[in-house]
Amino acid sequence: MKKLLLALMLITATMVNAQKNSVLLGGNIGFSSDKDGESKVENFEFSPKVGYQFAEKWTAGVEGSIMNVKTTGEDKTEKYKIGGFVRYSTPFSNLFSFYMDLGAGYQNTSLNNAKGIYAGIDPGLFINMKNGFGLNFSIGGINYNNLDGKNDPRQNNLDFNFGKTLNIGISKNFAL
């Protein structure tokens, strides 16, 4: 699984501003930090995507994620996700576009070898730098996680993390 996600990351180091009948290749880098009293959780994530724009504003494809989570007083935990996504995007001008990603799939974490599903809605802003090459910015979204570990009870989490997460990606359009 690690090799598959690593290969996917290398292939998808750029992201495309979607145009009908184009291929979306992308990758975001994200960081989040949450402090609750003495406990602190830091999360670093790389999330590649590959998709196809089948209509003027709609793209569908495959997404993945590799995450390192560090909690105060505990070892690092690695998380992996792979699933599908649908993106709706609408341009404000030639320079700015708003997009909304809906993704869902399978996840696995090294902590007690927990496995389960995830779903998320993440809005973002695309800034077109030149010829479809640009930057993507997101500051969080709404995420659902369901994990079941060997010795742990099933965990169901609904996270509203606007303002706690920063994701930055690059984009480039590849027309077919």
Side-chain angles (χ1 to χ4, degrees), residues 99-161:
Y99 66 88
M100 180 77 70
D101 283 353
L102 171 63
Y106 169 81
Q107 65 181 339
N108 183 337
T109 178
S110 63
L111 183 63
N112 291 327
N113 199 25
K115 299 172 183 170
I117 61 170
Y118 74 92
I121 299 173
D122 297 305
L125 180 67
F126 171 77
I127 301 172
N128 187 10
M129 304 302 278
K130 185 176 179 182
N131 298 329
F133 180 81
L135 302 172
N136 298 297
F137 295 95
S138 174
I139 58 167
I142 301 170
N143 299 295
Y144 170 75
N145 290 292
N146 180 319
L147 287 168
D148 191 14
K150 284 186 174 184
N151 300 321
D152 289 337
R154 181 172 297 277
Q155 300 174 21
N156 291 304
N157 300 27
L158 182 63
D159 297 325
F160 184 81
N161 62 5

Side-chain angles (χ1 to χ4, degrees), residues 3-142:
K3 290 181 183 179
L4 173 65
L5 288 175
L6 181 60
L8 191 57
M9 284 186 336
L10 293 175
I11 293 170
T12 60
T14 62
M15 188 163 203
V16 219
N17 179 26
Q19 295 178 0
K20 189 173 180 184
N21 297 322
S22 66
V23 175
L24 172 72
L25 297 176
N28 282 345
I29 295 174
F31 176 79
S32 65
S33 179
D34 194 14
K35 189 170 183 177
D36 184 17
E38 296 293 318
S39 179
K40 184 176 182 181
V41 177
E42 293 182 348
N43 178 13
F44 178 78
E45 179 175 9
F46 177 72
S47 305
K49 293 184 180 209
V50 177
Y52 176 74
Q53 184 168 3
F54 59 90
E56 187 178 336
K57 296 182 179 184
W58 291 94
T59 305
V62 177
E63 66 182 358
S65 177
I66 297 176
M67 225 179 298
N68 286 312
V69 181
K70 185 177 178 184
T71 306
T72 304
E74 295 183 22
D75 293 332
K76 264 188 185 177
T77 303
E78 293 179 346
K79 294 182 179 181
Y80 306 97
K81 295 179 180 180
I82 190 153
F85 77 95
V86 175
R87 172 178 286 188
Y88 176 80
S89 60
T90 185
F92 293 133
S93 67
N94 288 340
L95 185 61
F96 295 103
S97 295
F98 171 79
Y99 66 88
M100 180 77 70
D101 283 353
L102 171 63
Y106 169 81
Q107 65 181 339
N108 183 337
T109 178
S110 63
L111 183 63
N112 291 327
N113 199 25
K115 299 172 183 170
I117 61 170
Y118 74 92
I121 299 173
D122 297 305
L125 180 67
F126 171 77
I127 301 172
N128 187 10
M129 304 302 278
K130 185 176 179 182
N131 298 329
F133 180 81
L135 302 172
N136 298 297
F137 295 95
S138 174
I139 58 167
I142 301 170

